[in-house]
Amino acid sequence: MMFVAAEIKKNTYYDSVYLMRVTKEIEKIEGVISVLVGMGTELNKELVLSLDMMTQEIETIGANDFFVVAKMEKKDIMVEVLSKIESLMNEQKSSSIKEYKPATLESAVKYEPLTNFSLISLPGEYAIIEAKKALERNLHVMLFSDNISIEKEKELKLLAKQRGLLMMGPDCGTAIINGIPLAFANEVNRGSIGIISASGTGAQEVSVLIDKLGSGISQLIGTGGRDLKDEIDGIMMLQGIEALEKDESTDVIVLISKPPSKNVAEKIFSSINSSKKCYVINFIGSEFSNINNDKIHFTVSLEETAKLAVWLANAEKTTRKNEAEKRSKNKIDKLSIREKESTLIAKKRSKNISKKRKYLRGLFTGGTLALEAMNILQKEGISTYSNIPIDYDYELTNPKESIKNTCVDLGDDVFTKGRPHPMIEPSIRNERLIKEFNDEEVAIILMDCVLGYGSHEDPAGEIAKTLAEAKKGMGREKNDNPIVVVSICATDKDPQSLNQSVLDLENEGIIVSFSTAQATRIVAKVLETIGG
Amino acid sequence: MSEINELFNKQLRIANIGLESFYKDLKAKEIDVIHVNWRPPAGGNKKMIKLLDKLKK
């Protein structure tokens, strides 16, 4: 027998990340079969309906009303659910009671007139309104929200340009301004390398590797993923270039984006062509060989981008391009310190697994990290199926089912509709990890693990715990498990402990790398060994 | 000097609107940040929001 019960709190608003935490706590209560905690938005109501938990009360509520609905084994479990919610809400209240929290941006600026920056992460339709208000008040904006039309993006960016302000986003996940990590970013050293990036995780990986190589970041400006499309015309990247050109703390400028449109690429090149500063450009997976300028360097991988930027930052300003490239190769070893050993272990393990095991499954929370892996594999002659394929012949028709060698971006809308992004709440990936680990054709699993601000409090612990669960009760030979390789994107200054994370992963027999490129090279060697 | 370059030389003072976890991360680092206790206008009722917008104009 199953029971469904709901509770509504009118005019009580909570943000989505907080509600997700509440949901996780409620799910732990014994006897709760499924639970949905949220605001009464149309999307949430649709989800309630699809989970077969709709009640009359929920039908009538609005976006400002909080609801909880649960499917339970016994009716009286709801009492426990409600009392748990009550205590979580009280915790929230007591932790936030001390500070003044104005109801509007206007009153925030009135209260703190020196406010110069606004970080906006509201649902898309409301985010546009607030971003416009912020720009009109001369605040620089980082717009984390997505679901904003390209027309509205252009409007906001033109307004910002007119006022000389930053308009980072929409869908801007990562920025570091004046050394302050905003939204999803790592705690990295300050230094003379400026980054302008259309990719959040791409920027995280490069900034972390720069930190690891002993250099640092002056500014990390996010543009949002569509900035280099014709419709937006590279407005934010061009403004960023102008600002970093004038910035005395920046010597080397890194640009990261998916391949830009031809027109936007030309505008960017013409804006940097006569620059005295050095540029390292990673237009993910694409090379521009027709640019002949000693100051402009193109890279194919994020790892190479970081290495070259660091070398250039350390090099004499007059160094010629070919020398830079030659010497950058000598720098590789500082990052690859354990690569040889890890490769040996992985190859040795691959000899113990059954002959049926042939394939790779890459489970990524960062789309750009998935692309980095797929590009490296392709250079090794290994094609991968994906929901974000580099070759459309290898597009997954159903991203929820892997085919042969597959790398999926689990942050894609197809996975995150109505669910939190796996970098915040890893259950989407945990479920997929168990599935792939149990697939008898899988030889090796590759995953990213992104620490830093914004991310889950213990992403490595979640991977380790899930793997332990997947292994438990499996009736096959102990050695006949897929090899698991994790690339960890983090510095030793991040809020989650890097050392503990590595320890937790290694205790579960996971091979840990410190860049996606390194982890992928290990995977390629294993696939070569087993002939996958 | 452009506004962006001026910002690079100033202390960042942030208004956070939306996810409270971003505010908490910044607060924990003792960054100057204020959290806007935002609620959907007109209870999220789209018709009402349009009416309010018209009134404001």
Side-chain angles (χ1 to χ4, degrees):
Chain A
M1 193 79 175
M2 271 190 290
F3 297 90
V4 173
E7 177 82 7
I8 314 282
K9 277 181 195 271
K10 284 271 190 190
N11 294 314
T12 310
Y13 184 83
Y14 296 98
D15 73 54
S16 54
V17 171
Y18 176 71
L19 293 172
M20 172 202 87
R21 288 194 183 131
V22 174
T23 309
K24 287 291 275 184
E25 289 303 311
I26 303 300
E27 277 171 349
K28 287 181 195 161
I29 297 174
E30 217 182 309
V32 171
I33 299 161
S34 55
V35 62
L36 206 62
V37 181
M39 304 307 301
T41 60
E42 289 309 311
L43 175 75
N44 280 339
K45 286 203 260 182
E46 205 182 303
L47 279 172
V48 175
L49 200 63
S50 67
L51 290 170
D52 212 12
M53 298 200 286
M54 186 51 93
T55 67
Q56 273 181 344
E57 303 104 293
I58 294 177
E59 270 173 9
T60 59
I61 60 173
N64 217 359
D65 303 323
F66 165 85
F67 74 88
V68 49
V69 60
K71 204 180 269 181
M72 300 149 291
E73 286 165 3
K74 287 183 205 152
K75 217 172 189 173
D76 54 5
I77 293 169
M78 194 64 182
V79 179
E80 205 180 325
V81 169
L82 292 178
S83 110
K84 184 77 195 171
I85 287 179
E86 198 68 29
S87 76
L88 289 167
M89 304 279 169
N90 285 339
E91 259 174 48
Q92 163 90 347
K93 262 187 213 155
S94 64
S95 73
S96 57
I97 210 153
K98 291 164 203 116
E99 297 107 20
Y100 169 60
K101 289 177 181 169
T104 62
L105 181 64
E106 290 88 333
S107 32
V109 176
K110 207 175 273 176
Y111 180 75
E112 178 52 273
L114 292 175
T115 301
N116 49 21
F117 194 96
S118 176
L119 170 53
I120 303 172
S121 53
L122 297 172
E125 57 198 301
Y126 304 115
I128 302 166
I129 302 170
E130 297 301 321
K132 197 165 169 235
K133 273 190 215 164
L135 293 170
E136 282 166 349
R137 288 175 180 273
N138 278 335
L139 305 185
H140 298 271
V141 172
M142 175 169 179
L143 185 50
F144 178 81
S145 320
D146 55 5
N147 284 322
I148 289 171
S149 73
I150 202 152
E151 293 78 18
K152 288 288 174 198
E153 173 171 353
K154 179 112 188 205
E155 244 177 76
L156 291 171
K157 283 186 167 164
L158 284 175
L159 176 62
K161 187 183 170 188
Q162 199 186 7
R163 291 175 171 252
L165 298 165
L166 287 169
M167 176 63 233
M168 301 190 285
D171 205 10
C172 176
T174 303
I176 303 175
I177 302 295
N178 301 349
I180 299 171
L182 297 159
F184 287 78
N186 301 83
E187 187 80 53
V188 298
N189 288 330
R190 294 208 75 182
S192 62
I193 302 171
I195 300 177
I196 312 170
S197 178
S199 151
T201 44
Q204 283 192 268
E205 176 101 342
V206 171
S207 63
V208 161
L209 293 178
I210 286 172
D211 179 281
K212 280 200 172 25
L213 288 165
S215 281
I217 304 300
S218 56
Q219 307 287 346
L220 193 172
I221 299 172
T223 66
R226 300 183 297 205
D227 196 68
L228 270 59
K229 282 182 183 273
D230 268 334
E231 294 92 324
I232 305 295
D233 218 16
I235 298 174
M236 186 64 255
M237 188 166 276
L238 289 164
Q239 263 182 285
I241 288 170
E242 200 184 326
L244 292 184
E245 278 287 338
K246 286 187 207 148
D247 180 38
E248 286 175 4
S249 309
T250 303
D251 293 332
V252 176
I253 299 169
V254 172
L255 308 180
I256 304 166
S257 170
K258 283 183 187 154
S261 79
K262 194 167 165 272
N263 287 338
V264 177
E266 274 168 17
K267 280 188 184 166
I268 288 170
F269 296 143
S270 93
S271 80
I272 65 178
N273 213 13
S274 53
S275 169
K276 289 194 172 65
K277 298 192 179 185
C278 288
Y279 280 80
V280 182
I281 303 180
N282 184 325
F283 286 151
I284 300 156
S286 79
E287 288 170 89
F288 283 76
S289 51
N290 56 340
I291 305 293
N292 196 9
N293 182 323
D294 284 357
K295 296 275 182 195
I296 303 175
H297 308 266
F298 287 93
T299 54
V300 179
S301 71
L302 298 169
E303 184 189 57
E304 192 192 352
T305 306
K307 282 176 190 163
L308 191 53
V310 169
W311 189 83
L312 287 166
N314 294 336
E316 287 168 13
K317 290 187 175 178
T318 51
T319 306
R320 295 187 66 79
K321 183 182 176 184
N322 54 356
E323 284 177 47
E325 280 173 356
K326 200 166 75 192
R327 292 183 62 179
S328 79
K329 284 183 184 125
N330 297 333
K331 272 273 171 193
I332 292 172
D333 300 322
K334 198 166 176 184
L335 275 180
S336 316
I337 207 151
R338 299 195 314 174
E339 185 167 338
K340 212 170 146 191
E341 292 78 359
S342 299
T343 309
L344 279 174
I345 295 169
K347 280 167 82 173
K348 199 174 156 203
R349 284 195 203 164
S350 67
K351 287 182 184 134
N352 292 329
I353 59 176
S354 109
K355 293 270 177 286
K356 273 193 290 185
R357 298 190 176 278
K358 280 191 176 327
Y359 299 120
L360 156 72
R361 298 293 150 83
L363 311 178
F364 288 89
T365 60
T368 304
L369 304 181
L371 287 172
E372 169 99 333
M374 289 192 287
N375 278 318
I376 291 169
L377 290 168
Q378 198 178 42
K379 286 201 169 47
E380 299 293 326
I382 301 160
S383 296
T384 40
Y385 285 88
S386 180
N387 51 339
I388 49 163
I390 47 176
D391 173 351
Y392 277 93
D393 288 343
Y394 286 86
E395 185 169 17
L396 285 174
T397 43
N398 176 8
K400 294 180 179 169
E401 297 291 335
S402 300
I403 305 172
K404 297 182 180 170
N405 293 319
T406 288
C407 282
V408 278
D409 169 16
L410 294 162
D412 193 356
D413 289 350
V414 69
F415 296 105
T416 56
K417 197 180 174 201
R419 293 186 75 174
H421 191 283
M423 259 166 73
I424 305 178
E425 206 294 292
S427 53
I428 294 173
R429 179 158 73 181
N430 293 349
E431 289 157 19
R432 185 70 173 248
L433 173 57
I434 291 176
K435 186 175 167 184
E436 302 293 1
F437 197 79
N438 283 310
D439 185 331
E440 290 182 355
E441 288 194 326
V442 175
I444 188 158
I445 295 172
L446 170 63
M447 285 182 284
D448 58 359
C449 178
V450 184
L451 308 191
Y453 295 98
S455 283
H456 184 269
E457 58 190 15
D458 185 17
E462 284 284 325
I463 293 174
K465 205 169 68 190
T466 307
L467 203 59
E469 268 171 40
K471 284 182 197 165
K472 216 186 284 170
M474 280 183 12
R476 61 181 179 240
E477 286 289 311
K478 203 180 160 198
N479 287 334
D480 189 23
N481 284 326
I483 300 155
V484 182
V485 181
V486 168
S487 161
I488 193 159
C489 175
T491 73
D492 51 8
K493 300 170 280 290
D494 278 326
Q496 306 90 339
S497 160
L498 174 59
N499 283 340
Q500 189 59 47
S501 297
V502 173
L503 207 65
D504 288 348
L505 293 169
E506 290 188 339
N507 276 342
E508 246 351 283
I510 294 166
I511 295 167
V512 180
S513 288
F514 294 96
S515 79
T516 308
Q518 186 183 90
T520 310
R521 285 193 291 269
I522 296 171
V523 167
K525 290 276 180 231
V526 167
L527 291 176
E528 191 190 325
T529 311
I530 60 173
Chain B
M1 195 189 275
S2 82
E3 294 278 340
I4 299 175
N5 290 90
E6 269 181 34
L7 180 76
F8 291 167
N9 294 312
K10 274 186 192 162
Q11 189 188 332
L12 215 59
R13 293 173 193 273
I14 306 168
N16 181 61
I17 317 176
L19 302 178
E20 199 174 2
S21 53
F22 290 162
Y23 162 77
K24 285 185 177 160
D25 280 345
L26 291 163
K27 200 74 193 168
K29 278 175 63 69
E30 296 181 3
I31 305 298
D32 207 332
V33 58
I34 188 162
H35 182 66
V36 176
N37 206 9
W38 183 89
R39 298 282 179 274
N45 182 326
K46 284 181 187 157
K47 272 188 195 162
M48 200 62 97
I49 294 169
K50 274 189 187 161
L51 275 174
L52 282 174
D53 281 348
K54 273 187 194 163
L55 277 175
K56 277 181 200 161
K57 278 171 195 165

